[in-house]
């Protein structure tokens, strides 16, 4: 078995002088840093477009299951093309704090620059662009029109649009495509530049023997192209309002459960089409990434249904998902691909059996090994109980940092953790090294550590707090934090625990 390691760092968290991480030189430098640190994987979060406002720019509440986030387009690359000037980019206000993302400033000031680039580009004469339009029309046409109409009606959710376009009637689609022609084309231009730049970055990573672990949410946002253009695939009423929403019952993340407001799938409709939409979605993701992590995988077995409009998950109940039938169909149509099943949350025998039947590695989070409800040595999340076919994390984007987690434990739990580590000597502020070494030496074939944990940062650098909608997805890495000392530390820990990427070791 090839034991390998990687680092979790969202693209948005990369260092950048333009307010948010993107596909600029900092991304290429981070790939080089991964190489020098002996890593194999760069895990990111969904690259899909997010909205500023109620969703707080969550990558798990996107306008599309297929489109890319225009925030990630490199402005430096557009300057090199000659469609923006260095002065125009330098004059834009994206926020002054290098350690956080100011989404309000981005929303106000990045799109005008991208529009200038589009207007100066003469993009319609580019054969590569024309090929992109042809290859992606099956999702791009609806997406570009959806975004154009959304802006036309001052960002109102599509359920509040006039009836003809809300119901996606053919003559209304034709009318708005003509009426909003240049806005539709601007949206297509941004998707082309995103795709062009992302493919270049991924090719560079692969050339350096770094694999990209992408992340796809199981659900889509109610305010998305997918629900608007394909209502038959979701649980909607005759007015296309969701009848139920996704969520989860009480767990370690939220004592009262969570209501996510994502519409649920009409699995019978998907089955009747041979799961076309899901096969198309996964085919597209398998091209974008080397490994695909599917979020909330357990909902393919059973999903939690909350009546639409309910503020509490206490009103919800479990319903059966498509199970193995979906993945048999995907494997038959798309062949074998690398998938990670995010099976965290309430586990049942049927969920365990589904994950086992797929053969996909599942996830283990070290912090969960010390859940107060299950502190025995039989806890599935303790490293000595892992199988080889799993991916271990110190924590995910939804967890506290490992330092913040340990700081929040009471004295009894801290003692229990140190007993398990056989480490009562290391100072509290340095104990994160021991946590990382513990997961690195586990049997899991993949070990992913968030960048914040390698840096020993506390919860001020946490990425997301589930069930909250303010202040999330903002943390950014500063370039000065990627030191030679840290690189050597990660490299030696990776080497000592048999996870070095030997493809990047000089053969001579």
């Amino acid at each position: 078995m090839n034991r390998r390691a990687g680092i979790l760092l969202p693209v948005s968290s990369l260092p950048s002088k333009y307010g948010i991480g993107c596909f600029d030189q900092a991304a290429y430098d981070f790939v080089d840093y991964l190489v020098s640190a002996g890593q194999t994987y760069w895990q990111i979060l969904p690259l899909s477009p997010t909205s500023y406002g109620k969703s707080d720019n969550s990558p798990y509440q996107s306008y599309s299951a297929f489109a890319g986030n225009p925030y990630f387009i490199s402005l430096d690359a557009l300057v090199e093309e000659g469609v923006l000037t260095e002065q125009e980019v330098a004059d834009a206000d994206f926020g002054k704090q290098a350690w956080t993302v100011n989404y309000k400033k981005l929303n106000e000031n990045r799109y005008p620059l991208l529009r200038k680039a589009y207007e100066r580009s003469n993009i319609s004469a580019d054969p590569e662009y024309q090929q992109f339009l042809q290859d992606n029309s099956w999702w791009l046409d609806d997406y570009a029109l959806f975004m154009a109409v959304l802006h036309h009606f001052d960002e109102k959710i599509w359920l509040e649009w006039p009836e003809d376009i809300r119901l996606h009637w053919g003559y209304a689609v034709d009318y708005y495509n003509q009426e909003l022609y240049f806005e539709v084309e601007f949206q297509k231009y941004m998707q082309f530049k995103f795709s062009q730049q992302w493919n270049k970055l991924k090719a560079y990573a692969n050339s350096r023997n770094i694999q990209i672990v992408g992340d796809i949410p199981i659900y889509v946002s109610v305010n998305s192209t997918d629900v608007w253009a394909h209502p038959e695939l979701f649980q909607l009423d005759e007015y296309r309002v969701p009848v139920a929403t996704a969520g989860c019952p009480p767990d370690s993340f939220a004592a009262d459960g969570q209501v996510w407001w994502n519409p649920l799938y009409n699995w019978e409709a998907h089955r009747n089409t041979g799961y076309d939409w899901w096969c198309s979605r996964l085919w597209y993701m398998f091209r974008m990434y080397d490994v695909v992590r599917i979020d909330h995988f357990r909902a393919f077995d059973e999903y939690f249904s909350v009546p639409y409009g309910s503020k509490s998950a206490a009103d919800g109940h479990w319903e059966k998902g498509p199970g193995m039938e979906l993945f048999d169909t995907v494997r038959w149509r798309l062949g074998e691909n690398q998938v990670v099943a995010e099976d965290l949350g309430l586990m049942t025998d049927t969920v365990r059996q589904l994950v086992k039947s797929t053969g996909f590695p599942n996830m283990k989070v070290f912090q969960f090994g010390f859940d107060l409800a299950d502190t025995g040595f039989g806890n599935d999340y303790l490293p000595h109980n892992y199988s080889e076919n799993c991916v271990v994390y110190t924590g995910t984007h939804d967890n506290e940092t490992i330092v913040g987690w340990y700081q929040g434990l009471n004295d009894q739990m801290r003692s229990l953790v140190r007993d398990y580590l056989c480490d009562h000597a290391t100072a509290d502020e340095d104990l994160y090294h021991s946590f990382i070494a513990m997961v690195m030496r586990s049997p899991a074939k993949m070990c992913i550590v968030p960048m914040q944990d390698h840096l020993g940062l506390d919860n001020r650098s946490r990425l997301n707090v589930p069930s909250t909608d303010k202040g999330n997805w903002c943390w950014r890495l500063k370039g000065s934090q990627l030191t030679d000392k840290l690189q050597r530390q990660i490299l030696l820990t990776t080497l000592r625990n048999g996870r070095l990427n030997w493809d990047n070791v000089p053969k001579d």
Side-chain angles (χ1 to χ4, degrees):
M1 179 190 70
N2 292 324
R3 291 162 53 81
R4 293 291 185 261
I7 293 177
L8 169 59
L9 182 73
V11 169
S12 61
S13 295
L14 286 165
S16 171
K17 55 188 174 183
Y18 302 130
I20 192 171
C22 59
F23 304 147
D24 61 11
Q25 187 58 45
Y28 291 83
D29 292 343
F30 186 68
V31 169
D32 294 341
Y33 198 83
L34 291 170
V35 172
S36 65
Q39 304 302 286
T40 300
Y41 300 105
W42 176 11
Q43 180 168 334
I44 58 177
L45 296 187
L47 295 177
S48 43
T50 58
S51 61
Y52 175 73
K54 293 182 179 179
S55 72
D56 197 29
N57 279 276
S58 168
Y60 297 89
Q61 293 285 352
S62 175
Y63 288 131
S64 169
F66 300 93
N69 194 335
Y71 286 159
F72 297 155
I73 296 171
S74 168
L75 299 181
D76 285 339
L78 298 180
V79 171
E80 290 177 10
E81 289 180 25
V83 292
L84 291 178
T85 69
E86 291 184 1
Q87 192 62 50
E88 287 171 334
V89 174
D91 288 345
D93 181 7
F94 301 122
K96 306 304 182 186
Q97 297 173 320
W99 59 89
T100 189
V101 178
N102 187 327
Y103 285 107
K104 184 175 187 296
K105 297 278 190 184
L106 279 177
N107 189 61
E108 292 172 351
N109 299 317
R110 198 176 188 93
Y111 286 112
L113 285 173
L114 294 173
R115 189 177 297 277
K116 282 183 180 180
Y118 157 67
E119 291 171 349
R120 298 167 179 170
S121 66
N122 192 28
I123 192 65
S124 60
D126 185 343
E128 185 181 351
Y129 176 66
Q130 294 300 328
Q131 188 64 51
F132 173 80
L133 296 183
Q134 181 178 328
D135 292 344
N136 294 277
S137 61
W138 55 278
W139 66 266
L140 182 60
D141 289 352
D142 278 327
Y143 169 77
L145 177 61
F146 176 86
M147 296 302 295
V149 176
L150 185 75
H151 297 324
H152 179 70
F153 290 116
D154 300 320
E155 314 300 322
K156 288 182 180 178
I157 187 173
W158 68 271
L159 289 168
E160 298 177 8
W161 294 353
E163 183 182 45
D164 56 354
I165 191 62
R166 175 170 59 86
L167 298 182
H168 204 263
W169 290 346
Y171 80 86
V173 168
D174 292 340
Y175 170 79
Y176 283 102
N177 265 316
Q178 182 175 356
E179 183 71 12
L180 305 175
Y181 176 82
F182 290 108
E183 180 65 27
V184 170
E185 291 301 298
F186 172 52
Q187 294 295 330
K188 292 180 179 180
Y189 167 81
M190 289 192 292
Q191 289 307 303
F192 171 65
K193 300 313 295 185
F194 170 92
S195 177
Q196 187 182 54
Q197 292 185 11
W198 169 248
N199 289 337
K200 182 180 177 182
L201 175 60
K202 180 179 180 294
Y204 180 77
N206 290 165
S207 75
R208 302 226 60 194
N209 298 309
I210 297 298
Q211 294 189 40
I212 305 295
V213 182
D215 193 340
I216 68 170
I218 183 174
Y219 295 118
V220 299
S221 169
V222 63
N223 194 26
S224 69
T225 312
D226 311 283
V227 182
W228 171 66
H230 304 285
E232 71 283 358
L233 299 179
F234 300 88
Q235 295 183 25
L236 311 178
D237 65 18
E238 60 183 309
Y239 302 104
R240 301 196 177 173
V241 175
V243 297
T245 182
C248 68
D251 60 14
S252 58
F253 286 131
D256 297 323
Q258 300 176 45
V259 180
W260 296 332
W261 301 109
N262 302 90
L264 295 167
Y265 294 109
N266 178 348
W267 283 116
E268 186 62 29
H270 283 273
R271 183 176 292 111
N272 290 339
T273 66
Y275 298 103
D276 275 346
W277 186 87
W278 267 101
C279 287
S280 296
R281 185 185 189 191
L282 289 172
W283 171 80
Y284 197 76
M285 295 300 113
F286 292 149
R287 293 195 313 162
M288 282 190 71
Y289 311 118
D290 300 299
V291 183
V292 172
R293 190 197 86 118
I294 303 179
D295 189 63
H296 198 54
F297 192 87
R298 63 115 42 242
F300 290 113
D301 174 62
E302 289 182 316
Y303 59 90
F304 202 65
S305 174
V306 181
Y308 190 72
S310 295
K311 296 182 178 180
S312 170
D315 298 328
H317 64 278
W318 291 101
E319 295 185 0
K320 288 299 294 181
M324 196 59 203
E325 180 182 66
L326 169 61
F327 296 101
D328 283 339
T329 302
V330 169
R331 185 168 278 125
W332 174 66
R333 294 180 63 175
L334 304 182
E336 296 293 336
N337 291 276
Q338 295 190 78
V339 174
V340 174
E342 190 273 287
D343 59 341
L344 306 177
L346 179 64
M347 290 293 288
T348 64
D349 288 342
T350 55
V351 175
R352 293 188 182 94
Q353 183 56 52
L354 175 61
V355 175
K356 182 179 180 181
S357 296
T358 63
F360 302 150
N362 65 338
M363 285 178 52
K364 302 293 183 183
V365 176
F366 178 74
Q367 296 178 25
F368 294 173
F370 300 92
D371 191 317
L372 286 173
D374 183 10
T375 56
F377 290 115
N379 188 308
D380 287 345
Y381 294 102
L382 289 173
H384 70 273
N385 290 321
Y386 299 166
S387 68
E388 292 182 356
N389 192 35
C390 71
V391 185
V392 60
Y393 297 76
T394 48
T396 72
H397 60 275
D398 282 332
N399 296 116
E400 299 176 87
T401 67
I402 197 68
V403 168
W405 169 77
Y406 184 73
Q407 289 174 341
L409 298 177
N410 60 36
D411 290 343
Q412 180 183 2
M413 287 301 295
R414 288 190 186 187
S415 180
L416 179 65
V417 171
R418 284 185 175 273
D419 284 345
Y420 187 77
L421 293 174
C422 298
D423 185 350
H424 285 271
T426 302
D428 279 357
E429 60 267 25
D430 294 324
L431 197 61
Y432 68 94
H433 296 299
S434 299
F435 294 136
I436 293 172
M438 174 63 74
V439 297
M440 282 276 195
R441 76 173 66 103
S442 75
K445 67 180 181 181
M446 288 176 62
C447 176
I448 306 291
V449 177
M451 196 70 231
Q452 297 98 311
D453 289 351
H454 275 304
L455 290 165
L457 302 178
D458 62 24
N459 280 341
R460 287 173 294 182
S461 299
R462 185 172 179 174
L463 199 60
N464 180 50
V465 180
S467 293
T468 65
D469 59 5
K470 299 297 179 184
N472 296 319
W473 319 111
C474 291
W475 176 76
R476 293 175 62 202
L477 176 71
K478 289 184 284 187
S480 60
Q481 293 175 301
L482 294 177
T483 63
D484 291 342
K485 180 181 177 181
L486 177 64
Q487 174 266 321
R488 181 165 176 77
Q489 173 187 302
I490 297 172
L491 174 66
L492 291 177
T493 302
T494 305
L495 173 63
R496 289 169 184 150
N497 292 283
R499 295 186 181 276
L500 193 69
N501 185 348
W502 290 101
D503 290 334
N504 285 330
V505 175
K507 301 299 186 290
D508 55 356

